[in-house]
Amino acid sequence: MNRAERIFRLHRCLKSRQPPSLARLMDELDASRATINRDIEYMRLHMGAPITYDRDTNGYRYASDTPEFELPGLWFNQSELHALLACEQLLEEVQPGLLSPYIGPLRARIRRLLEQGGTSAAAVTTRVLLRSVARRDVDPERFGIVAAAALGQQQLRIDYIGRAHERSTTRTVHPQRLVRYRDNWYLLAWCERAADLRIFSLDRITSARQLDVQAKDVPAAELDRQLGASFGIFAGSARAWAVLRFTAHAARWVEAETWHPDQIGQWQGDAYELQVPYSDARELLMDILKYGPEVEVVAPEELRSEIARRLNSAAARYRPAEAPAAGSLPESPAGE
Protein backbone atom coordinates (compact mmCIF):
# COMPACT_ATOMS: atom_id res chain seq x y z
CA MET A 1 0.00 0.00 0.00
CA ASN A 2 1.11 3.61 -0.50
CA ARG A 3 1.98 6.04 2.30
CA ALA A 4 -1.47 7.66 2.35
CA GLU A 5 -3.13 4.28 2.94
CA ARG A 6 -0.59 3.32 5.60
CA ILE A 7 -1.04 6.59 7.49
CA PHE A 8 -4.82 6.26 7.37
CA ARG A 9 -4.63 2.74 8.81
CA LEU A 10 -1.94 3.78 11.30
CA HIS A 11 -4.27 6.59 12.46
CA ARG A 12 -7.04 4.07 13.13
CA CYS A 13 -4.68 1.80 15.05
CA LEU A 14 -3.46 4.68 17.22
CA LYS A 15 -7.05 5.59 18.12
CA SER A 16 -7.83 2.08 19.34
CA ARG A 17 -8.27 1.44 23.08
CA GLN A 18 -5.23 -0.82 23.29
CA PRO A 19 -2.07 1.01 22.15
CA PRO A 20 -0.55 -1.10 19.35
CA SER A 21 3.00 -2.34 19.64
CA LEU A 22 5.50 -1.85 16.85
CA ALA A 23 5.23 -5.56 16.01
CA ARG A 24 1.44 -5.28 15.71
CA LEU A 25 1.71 -2.19 13.51
CA MET A 26 4.16 -4.01 11.25
CA ASP A 27 1.66 -6.86 10.93
CA GLU A 28 -1.42 -4.64 10.48
CA LEU A 29 0.22 -2.43 7.85
CA ASP A 30 2.33 -5.17 6.24
CA ALA A 31 5.35 -2.87 6.48
CA SER A 32 8.87 -3.01 7.88
CA ARG A 33 10.03 -1.55 11.20
CA ALA A 34 11.88 1.25 9.37
CA THR A 35 8.81 2.14 7.30
CA ILE A 36 6.56 2.36 10.38
CA ASN A 37 9.11 4.56 12.17
CA ARG A 38 9.35 6.85 9.13
CA ASP A 39 5.55 7.14 8.92
CA ILE A 40 5.25 7.96 12.62
CA GLU A 41 7.96 10.61 12.30
CA TYR A 42 6.27 12.02 9.17
CA MET A 43 2.96 12.37 11.05
CA ARG A 44 4.69 14.08 13.97
CA LEU A 45 6.67 16.56 11.86
CA HIS A 46 4.26 17.36 9.01
CA MET A 47 0.83 16.76 10.54
CA GLY A 48 1.40 17.72 14.13
CA ALA A 49 0.27 14.28 15.32
CA PRO A 50 0.85 13.94 19.12
CA ILE A 51 2.09 10.35 18.92
CA THR A 52 3.75 9.05 22.06
CA TYR A 53 5.29 5.76 23.13
CA ASP A 54 3.68 4.16 26.19
CA ARG A 55 6.30 2.10 28.04
CA ASP A 56 3.74 0.46 30.32
CA THR A 57 1.90 -1.13 27.40
CA ASN A 58 4.84 -1.21 24.97
CA GLY A 59 2.61 0.54 22.42
CA TYR A 60 2.04 3.79 20.56
CA ARG A 61 -0.93 6.11 21.07
CA TYR A 62 -2.06 9.71 20.77
CA ALA A 63 -1.22 11.77 23.86
CA SER A 64 -4.22 12.00 26.18
CA ASP A 65 -3.47 15.56 27.32
CA THR A 66 -3.91 17.07 23.83
CA PRO A 67 -7.03 17.77 21.72
CA GLU A 68 -8.30 14.78 19.76
CA PHE A 69 -6.22 14.46 16.60
CA GLU A 70 -7.77 13.94 13.16
CA LEU A 71 -6.05 13.56 9.82
CA PRO A 72 -6.16 16.73 7.72
CA GLY A 73 -7.78 16.92 4.30
CA LEU A 74 -9.20 14.15 2.12
CA TRP A 75 -7.79 10.65 2.57
CA PHE A 76 -9.46 8.99 -0.38
CA ASN A 77 -7.79 8.23 -3.67
CA GLN A 78 -9.59 9.47 -6.79
CA SER A 79 -11.40 6.19 -7.53
CA GLU A 80 -12.66 5.84 -3.93
CA LEU A 81 -13.89 9.43 -3.81
CA HIS A 82 -15.59 9.05 -7.20
CA ALA A 83 -17.30 5.84 -6.11
CA LEU A 84 -18.65 7.34 -2.87
CA LEU A 85 -19.85 10.52 -4.56
CA ALA A 86 -21.43 8.57 -7.41
CA CYS A 87 -23.33 6.39 -4.93
CA GLU A 88 -24.44 9.41 -2.91
CA GLN A 89 -25.61 11.37 -5.95
CA LEU A 90 -27.31 8.38 -7.57
CA LEU A 91 -29.23 7.80 -4.34
CA GLU A 92 -30.33 11.46 -4.48
CA GLU A 93 -32.12 10.64 -7.74
CA VAL A 94 -34.02 7.62 -6.40
CA GLN A 95 -37.76 8.23 -6.49
CA PRO A 96 -39.93 7.22 -3.51
CA GLY A 97 -40.71 3.52 -3.62
CA LEU A 98 -40.32 0.21 -1.85
CA LEU A 99 -36.69 0.93 -0.97
CA SER A 100 -37.36 4.33 0.61
CA PRO A 101 -36.93 3.09 4.23
CA TYR A 102 -33.47 1.73 3.32
CA ILE A 103 -32.16 4.62 1.20
CA GLY A 104 -31.86 7.06 4.11
CA PRO A 105 -29.63 4.85 6.30
CA LEU A 106 -27.52 3.93 3.27
CA ARG A 107 -26.96 7.58 2.39
CA ALA A 108 -26.12 8.32 6.02
CA ARG A 109 -23.50 5.55 5.97
CA ILE A 110 -21.92 6.95 2.80
CA ARG A 111 -21.82 10.43 4.34
CA ARG A 112 -20.07 9.04 7.42
CA LEU A 113 -17.47 7.43 5.16
CA LEU A 114 -16.90 10.75 3.41
CA GLU A 115 -16.47 12.47 6.77
CA GLN A 116 -13.73 10.02 7.73
CA GLY A 117 -11.50 12.07 5.45
CA GLY A 118 -11.55 14.87 8.00
CA THR A 119 -13.99 17.02 5.98
CA SER A 120 -17.75 17.27 6.37
CA ALA A 121 -19.80 15.31 3.84
CA ALA A 122 -21.71 18.50 2.97
CA ALA A 123 -18.44 20.24 2.04
CA VAL A 124 -17.33 17.28 -0.09
CA THR A 125 -20.61 16.98 -2.00
CA THR A 126 -20.87 20.73 -2.64
CA ARG A 127 -17.22 21.30 -3.57
CA VAL A 128 -16.66 18.11 -5.58
CA LEU A 129 -19.30 17.63 -8.26
CA LEU A 130 -20.07 14.79 -10.66
CA ARG A 131 -21.91 16.23 -13.66
CA SER A 132 -24.03 14.08 -15.93
CA VAL A 133 -23.94 15.00 -19.62
CA ALA A 134 -26.60 14.00 -22.15
CA ARG A 135 -28.24 11.63 -19.69
CA ARG A 136 -31.39 9.94 -20.95
CA ASP A 137 -33.96 9.18 -18.25
CA VAL A 138 -35.29 5.63 -17.90
CA ASP A 139 -38.74 4.80 -16.55
CA PRO A 140 -38.08 3.63 -12.95
CA GLU A 141 -40.56 0.76 -13.13
CA ARG A 142 -39.09 -0.64 -16.35
CA PHE A 143 -35.58 -0.22 -14.98
CA GLY A 144 -36.59 -2.25 -11.93
CA ILE A 145 -37.98 -5.05 -14.09
CA VAL A 146 -34.88 -5.20 -16.28
CA ALA A 147 -32.51 -5.04 -13.31
CA ALA A 148 -34.42 -7.76 -11.44
CA ALA A 149 -34.28 -10.03 -14.50
CA ALA A 150 -30.55 -9.41 -14.96
CA LEU A 151 -29.76 -10.10 -11.30
CA GLY A 152 -32.10 -13.09 -11.12
CA GLN A 153 -30.97 -14.53 -14.49
CA GLN A 154 -34.52 -14.62 -15.85
CA GLN A 155 -35.64 -14.09 -19.43
CA LEU A 156 -37.33 -10.84 -20.50
CA ARG A 157 -39.99 -10.04 -23.08
CA ILE A 158 -39.40 -6.48 -24.27
CA ASP A 159 -40.77 -4.04 -26.80
CA TYR A 160 -37.83 -2.13 -28.22
CA ILE A 161 -37.60 0.83 -30.61
CA GLY A 162 -34.21 0.88 -32.31
CA ARG A 163 -32.89 4.31 -33.27
CA ALA A 164 -31.81 3.20 -36.74
CA HIS A 165 -35.36 2.67 -38.07
CA GLU A 166 -37.66 3.93 -35.27
CA ARG A 167 -39.63 0.69 -35.54
CA SER A 168 -40.90 -1.22 -32.51
CA THR A 169 -40.07 -4.92 -32.27
CA THR A 170 -40.95 -7.50 -29.62
CA ARG A 171 -38.07 -9.65 -28.48
CA THR A 172 -37.29 -12.34 -25.94
CA VAL A 173 -33.89 -11.65 -24.45
CA HIS A 174 -31.61 -13.33 -21.92
CA PRO A 175 -30.11 -10.53 -19.74
CA GLN A 176 -26.40 -10.84 -19.03
CA ARG A 177 -25.14 -7.47 -17.77
CA LEU A 178 -26.40 -3.99 -16.98
CA VAL A 179 -23.90 -1.40 -18.18
CA ARG A 180 -23.63 2.24 -17.11
CA TYR A 181 -21.79 4.02 -19.93
CA ARG A 182 -21.43 7.77 -20.45
CA ASP A 183 -24.19 8.43 -17.90
CA ASN A 184 -26.68 6.11 -19.59
CA TRP A 185 -27.88 2.56 -18.94
CA TYR A 186 -27.60 -0.33 -21.39
CA LEU A 187 -28.47 -4.01 -21.26
CA LEU A 188 -26.17 -6.62 -22.74
CA ALA A 189 -28.38 -9.61 -23.51
CA TRP A 190 -28.63 -12.70 -25.68
CA CYS A 191 -31.39 -11.91 -28.19
CA GLU A 192 -33.39 -14.88 -29.48
CA ARG A 193 -34.42 -12.94 -32.58
CA ALA A 194 -30.81 -12.16 -33.53
CA ALA A 195 -29.45 -15.42 -32.08
CA ASP A 196 -26.54 -13.39 -30.75
CA LEU A 197 -25.53 -10.92 -28.09
CA ARG A 198 -26.97 -7.44 -28.47
CA ILE A 199 -26.77 -4.11 -26.62
CA PHE A 200 -30.10 -2.46 -25.77
CA SER A 201 -30.42 1.14 -24.59
CA LEU A 202 -32.79 1.07 -21.61
CA ASP A 203 -34.44 4.36 -22.54
CA ARG A 204 -35.63 2.71 -25.80
CA ILE A 205 -37.35 -0.20 -24.04
CA THR A 206 -41.04 0.79 -24.04
CA SER A 207 -42.31 -2.25 -22.12
CA ALA A 208 -40.71 -5.12 -20.23
CA ARG A 209 -42.06 -8.27 -18.65
CA GLN A 210 -40.02 -10.79 -16.71
CA LEU A 211 -40.63 -14.39 -17.74
CA ASP A 212 -40.55 -17.31 -15.34
CA VAL A 213 -37.87 -18.95 -17.45
CA GLN A 214 -34.16 -19.25 -16.69
CA ALA A 215 -31.98 -17.09 -18.95
CA LYS A 216 -29.19 -18.52 -21.07
CA ASP A 217 -25.87 -18.12 -19.25
CA VAL A 218 -23.15 -16.72 -21.52
CA PRO A 219 -19.58 -17.26 -20.23
CA ALA A 220 -18.08 -14.19 -18.57
CA ALA A 221 -15.03 -14.31 -20.85
CA GLU A 222 -17.25 -13.98 -23.92
CA LEU A 223 -19.12 -11.06 -22.36
CA ASP A 224 -15.82 -9.34 -21.59
CA ARG A 225 -14.72 -9.77 -25.20
CA GLN A 226 -17.99 -8.38 -26.50
CA LEU A 227 -17.83 -5.28 -24.30
CA GLY A 228 -14.11 -4.62 -24.35
CA ALA A 229 -12.82 -5.68 -27.75
CA SER A 230 -13.65 -2.47 -29.59
CA PHE A 231 -14.29 1.23 -29.12
CA GLY A 232 -17.41 2.51 -27.38
CA ILE A 233 -20.63 0.82 -26.36
CA PHE A 234 -21.06 -1.26 -29.50
CA ALA A 235 -20.37 -4.91 -28.77
CA GLY A 236 -18.37 -7.29 -30.91
CA SER A 237 -14.86 -8.02 -32.03
CA ALA A 238 -12.94 -5.19 -33.66
CA ARG A 239 -13.14 -5.28 -37.45
CA ALA A 240 -10.73 -2.41 -38.10
CA TRP A 241 -8.30 0.01 -36.50
CA ALA A 242 -8.86 3.75 -36.79
CA VAL A 243 -5.65 5.73 -37.26
CA LEU A 244 -6.24 9.34 -36.16
CA ARG A 245 -3.70 12.16 -36.45
CA PHE A 246 -4.29 15.08 -34.08
CA THR A 247 -2.70 18.52 -34.15
CA ALA A 248 -0.31 19.44 -31.36
CA HIS A 249 -3.03 21.69 -29.91
CA ALA A 250 -5.63 18.89 -29.70
CA ALA A 251 -2.98 16.47 -28.42
CA ARG A 252 -2.84 18.44 -25.17
CA TRP A 253 -6.10 16.66 -24.30
CA VAL A 254 -6.04 13.51 -26.43
CA GLU A 255 -2.62 12.32 -25.27
CA ALA A 256 -3.94 12.04 -21.70
CA GLU A 257 -7.23 10.32 -22.66
CA THR A 258 -8.02 6.60 -22.78
CA TRP A 259 -10.25 5.87 -25.76
CA HIS A 260 -9.70 2.11 -25.49
CA PRO A 261 -7.50 -0.12 -23.27
CA ASP A 262 -5.63 -1.43 -26.34
CA GLN A 263 -5.07 1.93 -28.00
CA ILE A 264 -1.67 2.90 -29.41
CA GLY A 265 -0.52 6.50 -29.14
CA GLN A 266 2.69 8.03 -30.44
CA TRP A 267 4.04 11.35 -31.67
CA GLN A 268 4.71 11.68 -35.39
CA GLY A 269 6.69 14.89 -35.70
CA ASP A 270 4.40 17.72 -34.55
CA ALA A 271 1.28 15.54 -34.71
CA TYR A 272 -0.04 12.95 -32.27
CA GLU A 273 -1.21 9.66 -33.80
CA LEU A 274 -3.81 7.57 -32.00
CA GLN A 275 -4.83 4.06 -33.12
CA VAL A 276 -8.10 2.62 -31.81
CA PRO A 277 -9.87 -0.70 -32.59
CA TYR A 278 -13.58 -0.49 -33.45
CA SER A 279 -16.43 -2.69 -34.63
CA ASP A 280 -19.15 -0.12 -35.36
CA ALA A 281 -18.14 3.36 -36.50
CA ARG A 282 -21.21 5.32 -35.35
CA GLU A 283 -19.97 6.39 -31.92
CA LEU A 284 -16.40 6.79 -33.14
CA LEU A 285 -17.59 9.10 -35.91
CA MET A 286 -19.17 11.45 -33.36
CA ASP A 287 -16.03 11.56 -31.23
CA ILE A 288 -13.84 12.30 -34.25
CA LEU A 289 -16.15 14.99 -35.62
CA LYS A 290 -16.11 16.98 -32.38
CA TYR A 291 -12.43 17.76 -33.02
CA GLY A 292 -13.23 19.32 -36.41
CA PRO A 293 -10.06 20.53 -38.17
CA GLU A 294 -7.85 19.39 -35.27
CA VAL A 295 -7.87 15.75 -36.44
CA GLU A 296 -7.35 13.81 -39.67
CA VAL A 297 -8.45 10.22 -40.22
CA VAL A 298 -5.49 8.50 -41.85
CA ALA A 299 -7.04 5.01 -42.09
CA PRO A 300 -9.05 3.02 -42.91
CA GLU A 301 -10.22 4.58 -46.16
CA GLU A 302 -13.94 3.93 -45.51
CA LEU A 303 -13.77 5.83 -42.21
CA ARG A 304 -11.78 8.65 -43.79
CA SER A 305 -14.31 8.95 -46.62
CA GLU A 306 -17.28 8.96 -44.24
CA ILE A 307 -15.75 11.71 -42.10
CA ALA A 308 -15.00 13.78 -45.21
CA ARG A 309 -18.56 13.30 -46.48
CA ARG A 310 -20.09 14.37 -43.17
CA LEU A 311 -17.84 17.43 -42.89
CA ASN A 312 -18.76 18.46 -46.47
CA SER A 313 -22.44 17.96 -45.70
CA ALA A 314 -22.13 20.06 -42.55
CA ALA A 315 -20.29 22.82 -44.43
CA ALA A 316 -23.02 22.82 -47.08
CA ARG A 317 -25.54 23.97 -44.48
CA TYR A 318 -23.59 27.22 -44.08
CA ARG A 319 -23.29 28.05 -47.78
CA PRO A 320 -25.54 30.71 -49.36
CA ALA A 321 -29.04 29.45 -50.18
CA GLU A 322 -28.43 29.61 -53.94
CA ALA A 323 -25.47 27.24 -53.69
CA PRO A 324 -26.26 23.65 -54.72
CA ALA A 325 -26.93 21.24 -51.86
CA ALA A 326 -24.18 18.74 -51.23
CA GLY A 327 -23.98 15.37 -49.59
CA SER A 328 -27.16 15.06 -47.54
CA LEU A 329 -26.83 12.28 -45.02
CA PRO A 330 -28.64 8.98 -45.61
CA GLU A 331 -30.11 6.88 -42.83
CA SER A 332 -27.67 5.47 -40.26
CA PRO A 333 -26.50 1.90 -40.88
CA ALA A 334 -28.79 -0.83 -39.60
CA GLY A 335 -28.32 -1.78 -36.00
CA GLU A 336 -29.96 -2.28 -32.66
Side-chain angles (χ1 to χ4, degrees):
M1 65 183 75
N2 58 37
R3 168 172 274 181
E5 291 177 282
R6 287 199 312 272
I7 289 178
F8 181 71
R9 292 177 64 174
L10 177 58
H11 172 66
R12 288 193 301 181
C13 290
L14 294 171
K15 292 185 71 173
S16 62
R17 290 186 178 181
Q18 182 65 33
S21 66
L22 185 58
R24 179 186 157 195
L25 290 174
M26 292 168 60
D27 183 61
E28 290 273 349
L29 278 62
D30 191 24
S32 68
R33 178 186 298 267
T35 297
I36 299 297
N37 285 328
R38 282 196 299 268
D39 288 343
I40 289 175
E41 193 62 20
Y42 181 89
M43 292 178 69
R44 284 171 173 161
L45 291 175
H46 299 284
M47 297 180 178
I51 302 173
T52 64
Y53 174 68
D54 189 328
R55 292 185 180 276
D56 294 337
T57 60
N58 188 32
Y60 290 87
R61 60 178 174 82
Y62 288 127
S64 57
D65 58 349
T66 60
E68 185 176 358
F69 176 77
E70 290 293 346
L71 291 174
L74 284 172
W75 284 85
F76 301 109
N77 63 36
Q78 61 179 345
S79 62
E80 290 170 336
L81 180 60
H82 181 274
L84 287 173
L85 288 172
C87 290
E88 207 273 342
Q89 294 186 22
L90 282 172
L91 289 173
E92 278 279 4
E93 301 170 5
V94 174
Q95 299 180 8
L98 294 175
L99 290 178
S100 296
Y102 307 100
I103 296 300
L106 183 55
R107 287 186 59 203
R109 174 60 178 156
I110 291 173
R111 284 178 172 267
R112 284 197 297 272
L113 286 171
L114 288 170
E115 287 173 349
Q116 285 184 7
T119 305
S120 72
V124 175
T125 55
T126 54
R127 294 181 180 274
V128 183
L129 303 179
L130 303 182
R131 303 298 297 270
S132 295
V133 178
R135 186 186 68 193
R136 301 186 295 272
D137 291 332
V138 178
D139 178 81
E141 182 178 354
R142 283 197 291 275
F143 181 89
I145 294 171
V146 173
L151 293 172
Q153 295 182 295
Q154 299 293 113
Q155 293 183 26
L156 272 175
R157 182 74 47 78
I158 64 172
D159 290 330
Y160 188 76
I161 301 179
R163 286 189 170 83
H165 302 291
E166 289 292 329
R167 183 176 65 247
S168 179
T169 58
T170 301
R171 302 160 181 255
T172 298
V173 300
H174 301 241
Q176 302 297 318
R177 286 181 180 173
L178 275 175
V179 182
R180 177 86 170 177
Y181 175 76
R182 292 192 177 187
D183 292 321
N184 289 292
W185 286 102
Y186 298 87
L187 174 68
L188 175 63
W190 177 272
C191 176
E192 291 189 355
R193 179 183 178 191
D196 203 354
L197 287 169
R198 289 290 185 268
I199 288 279
F200 299 96
S201 181
L202 260 63
D203 66 294
R204 305 295 285 184
I205 296 177
T206 56
S207 71
R209 179 166 61 91
Q210 184 172 319
L211 305 179
D212 190 21
V213 183
Q214 187 76 15
K216 171 186 175 71
D217 189 21
V218 179
E222 183 176 346
L223 299 178
D224 290 340
R225 284 195 299 271
Q226 286 288 320
L227 288 173
S230 57
F231 176 86
I233 191 58
F234 293 106
S237 300
R239 65 178 182 84
W241 281 73
V243 181
L244 313 175
R245 188 168 295 156
F246 293 88
T247 64
H249 180 265
R252 299 176 190 175
W253 291 270
V254 177
E255 185 183 19
E257 295 175 349
T258 299
W259 288 41
H260 188 273
D262 296 331
Q263 70 184 39
I264 301 171
Q266 56 188 344
W267 283 94
Q268 300 280 357
D270 293 333
Y272 182 75
E273 185 178 281
L274 180 67
Q275 300 182 34
V276 182
Y278 70 95
S279 62
D280 188 309
R282 281 174 287 176
E283 186 180 353
L284 182 59
L285 285 167
M286 291 187 290
D287 277 0
I288 294 172
L289 286 168
K290 73 182 182 182
Y291 283 96
E294 300 284 346
V295 62
E296 176 190 359
V297 177
V298 178
E301 183 56 38
E302 61 176 359
L303 184 63
R304 179 182 174 90
S305 298
E306 181 63 15
I307 287 290
R309 185 180 68 83
R310 289 179 179 238
L311 288 173
N312 286 329
S313 181
R317 293 183 178 275
Y318 297 91
R319 293 176 188 146
E322 64 273 17
S328 58
L329 289 175
E331 292 293 322
S332 298
E336 298 301 324

